[in-house]
Amino acid sequence: MRELPTRTPEEVLLLLARALTAGDLQSAVALYEPEATFVAQPGAVVTGTEAIREALSGFVALKPTFDLKVRKVFRAGGDDIALAFSEWTLAGTGPDGETMSMSGQGSDVVRQQPDGSWLFVIDNPYGHAGAVSPGDV
């Protein structure tokens, strides 16, 4: 599914949702810098391509329908770094065969690459909740 390189910060988020819905793990992972960080769930943060691949494979296994809307993007650093806020919902089938759903408000950092495309540096689909570790009050 890996389409043309992402041309805007918004496109990175939208292509991730499309790749996950299509079950295309390779295209989803290709949207991250090699040393990117991903909040797999609140309190569980992974870094690097292989760890992100493993975390995203759990989402792909749900055979999800992923709906995402980018709400706001702030650019900095000569416009080559952006902070994107989104709202998303995911509906899928859990390991027990039961229908399940999730939702969140993401806060993501993306960076423009030398070829002009954009990739995730930090993907936090849980926003503020992703910053909370187990046991935090």
Side-chain angles (χ1 to χ4, degrees), residues 16-129:
L16 178 62
R18 187 180 303 163
L20 292 175
T21 297
D24 188 346
L25 182 59
Q26 181 175 334
S27 291
V29 173
L31 294 169
Y32 293 81
E33 289 188 355
E35 294 302 315
T37 295
F38 175 64
V39 179
Q41 60 186 6
V45 178
V46 300
T47 299
T49 301
E50 289 312 309
I52 291 170
R53 179 184 315 281
E54 184 175 330
L56 289 178
S57 70
F59 287 98
V60 170
L62 300 173
K63 296 183 171 91
T65 300
F66 198 108
D67 182 42
L68 182 140
K69 292 178 179 37
V70 178
R71 295 298 182 195
K72 184 72 177 169
V73 174
F74 297 100
R75 291 189 185 205
D79 284 345
D80 63 345
I81 297 174
L83 174 61
F85 294 96
S86 63
E87 293 179 358
W88 59 271
T89 59
L90 178 148
T93 305
D96 59 2
E98 293 293 319
T99 301
M100 52 85 58
S101 62
M102 304 169 64
S103 63
Q105 296 177 336
S107 54
D108 302 296
V109 177
V110 295
R111 178 173 21 224
Q112 191 170 34
Q113 306 300 299
D115 68 357
S117 66
W118 291 80
L119 297 176
F120 284 102
V121 177
I122 302 170
D123 182 3
N124 178 9
Y126 303 100
H128 179 275

Side-chain angles (χ1 to χ4, degrees), residues 4-23:
L4 297 173
T6 54
R7 296 174 301 266
T8 66
E10 295 86 351
E11 226 173 10
V12 180
L13 283 74
L14 296 171
L15 286 178
L16 178 62
R18 187 180 303 163
L20 292 175
T21 297

